[in-house]
Amino acid sequence: MSTTAPVAERPTPETTKKPKRQTSFNEGTGRLAALLLSPTMIVLILVVGLPILAALRESLYTSGQQIDESGFIVQGSKFVGLDNYTAIFSGETGTRFWNAFYNTTFFTVACVVLETVLGVMMALVMHKAFRGRGIVRASILVPWAIPTVVSALLWKWIFQADGIANEMLGTQILWSTEGWQSVLSVIVADTWKTAPFIGLLVLAGLQTIPTDVYEAAKVDGASVWQTFTRITMPLVKPALLVAVLFRILDTLRIFDLPFVLVGPNKESVETLSILAYLEANQTRYGPAAAYATLLFIYVAVVAYVFVKLLGADVFGDAIQRKTKKNGRNGRGRGKQTDPGAPVAGLTAGGGLGGE
């Protein structure tokens, strides 16, 4: 009786198919990202985009009661083109505008510099491990949590003629009058209010620095100043630049603090935002919109220059570009790294250099 060898089964089409190519993580994510971000973009267009366009349109008109060519009083809006902008830079209005422009720039530079120095110091204190660190962190962040108007009222009471500031200094300075004292009061109040914000962001950057880096620096004999300038500041620079950028953009639009603390129609503390508000309060909506548009352009230019010159990676684009560049360079060389090969810079004994 003969036996036959078993015949191998014919491969089915399912088994002969080539394995599917694994798609990379980035493929197909653009459409999903656009879909997920579309609600946010719609809200931004409605809340930010449309008001900007409306203000730009309003700046080309003048409203209120006017006298036409026939001598009759007419009510309504009239298209005047760029007349509102040209009027800003001429005569008494031009003097007032440049004074407000100087005050806005001076407050931005002075406040941001002081807030950056104090914020970094606060972050270093909050980063240290000591007993009661939680209480210290909470007390430092309290000023930032207070609304700006409430903070302005608080400092207004402090800077009253019979307030605690004059009592501690032993003087009778009228802080809310024209002069250097009103400028100083605004700087002190704004620094106290928002320095913790920079400290909070810098603290977040400090907590991402590995402790091994500091241990290696200590072994190498680095001093405290060298550790701060060569390790801490370079590694915390991205978070610090973003914090400074946010504070610059916020201080350029400063309004409520000097308005409540010192008051309106004070030449020494009048900013572009206050100037636009006062024009709108007098129902001169065209000039007010022109002031607001110029302020918007000023803020946009400062933000662009800051990002381009100092390299503030606000949206993480630099990291993404660096990753793509490294990936292209790796594919272009066409070389694969041997897992068993020694790492460059390390000898067979595991030491650094050639020893």
Side-chain angles (χ1 to χ4, degrees):
M1 184 174 178
S2 61
T3 59
T4 59
V7 179
E9 296 182 359
R10 294 184 62 184
T12 59
E14 289 78 5
T15 59
T16 58
K17 287 182 177 179
K18 294 182 179 180
K20 294 183 178 180
R21 183 177 63 89
Q22 294 182 354
T23 59
S24 63
F25 178 77
N26 291 329
E27 291 183 6
T29 57
R31 184 177 301 175
L32 178 60
L35 181 63
L36 296 177
L37 291 175
S38 56
T40 304
M41 297 304 298
I42 293 174
V43 172
L44 288 177
I45 291 174
L46 295 176
V47 176
V48 179
L50 292 181
I52 291 176
L53 294 177
L56 181 60
R57 177 190 176 277
E58 187 67 30
S59 66
L60 304 177
Y61 288 82
T62 181
S63 58
Q65 292 184 353
Q66 300 173 8
I67 300 177
D68 61 3
E69 294 140 359
S70 303
F72 294 99
I73 297 177
V74 293
Q75 181 77 23
S77 298
K78 179 184 177 182
F79 180 78
V80 294
L82 299 178
D83 290 350
N84 290 328
Y85 292 95
T86 56
I88 289 177
F89 301 99
S90 59
E92 185 179 350
T93 305
T95 304
R96 191 176 183 185
F97 168 78
W98 288 116
N99 174 72
F101 182 85
Y102 169 79
N103 291 338
T104 302
T105 306
F106 178 77
F107 282 138
T108 301
V109 174
C111 293
V112 172
V113 169
L114 291 175
E115 290 164 9
T116 302
V117 175
L118 293 178
V120 172
M121 294 173 61
M122 292 178 181
L124 294 175
V125 171
M126 292 187 290
H127 187 61
K128 294 294 183 180
F130 57 90
R131 182 175 297 179
R133 182 175 64 173
I135 299 177
V136 174
R137 286 183 176 183
S139 61
I140 289 178
L141 296 178
V142 163
W144 181 58
I146 298 177
T148 306
V149 175
V150 178
S151 176
L153 288 174
L154 173 65
W155 282 99
K156 187 175 183 178
W157 296 333
I158 293 176
F159 286 126
Q160 284 181 347
D162 55 348
I164 189 174
N166 283 332
E167 184 175 350
M168 292 179 62
L169 297 175
T171 58
Q172 291 294 327
I173 299 176
L174 301 178
W175 298 93
S176 59
T177 56
E178 290 283 4
W180 62 269
Q181 65 275 4
S182 59
V183 177
L184 181 61
S185 64
V186 173
I187 293 176
V188 170
D190 189 71
T191 303
W192 176 84
K193 170 74 173 61
T194 52
F197 171 76
I198 295 182
L200 183 63
L201 292 187
V202 174
L203 175 63
L206 288 174
Q207 292 179 342
T208 61
I209 302 177
T211 57
D212 299 341
V213 179
Y214 291 107
E215 293 176 358
K218 187 176 182 180
V219 171
D220 291 339
S223 63
V224 177
W225 178 250
Q226 290 175 335
T227 302
F228 177 74
T229 56
R230 302 291 182 86
I231 296 178
T232 302
M233 289 306 297
L235 294 180
V236 85
K237 178 183 175 182
L240 179 61
L241 288 180
V242 172
V244 172
L245 176 61
F246 285 171
R247 283 303 307 140
I248 289 176
L249 301 184
D250 195 23
T251 312
L252 286 174
R253 299 177 289 106
I254 188 171
F255 167 78
D256 43 4
L257 186 63
F259 188 86
V260 176
L261 178 57
V262 181
N265 297 315
K266 297 295 178 62
E267 183 179 350
S268 55
V269 296
E270 189 173 67
T271 62
L272 292 176
S273 297
I274 295 178
L275 195 56
Y277 168 80
L278 294 176
E279 290 292 322
N281 194 39
Q282 299 295 325
T283 66
R284 294 192 289 264
Y285 300 114
Y291 283 121
T293 303
L294 291 177
L295 178 59
F296 171 76
I297 295 174
Y298 183 32
V299 172
V301 170
V302 170
Y304 179 80
V305 172
F306 186 89
V307 172
K308 286 298 180 181
L309 293 184
L310 297 182
D313 190 15
V314 182
F315 304 105
D317 293 337
I319 299 176
Q320 187 176 4
R321 287 195 300 267
K322 185 177 180 181
T323 304
K324 291 181 178 180
K325 182 178 179 181
N326 293 337
R328 286 195 300 268
N329 293 338
R331 290 193 301 269
R333 287 191 298 267
K335 298 180 180 179
Q336 294 182 355
T337 304
D338 184 5
V343 181
L346 294 179
T347 63
L352 287 171
E355 297 180 359

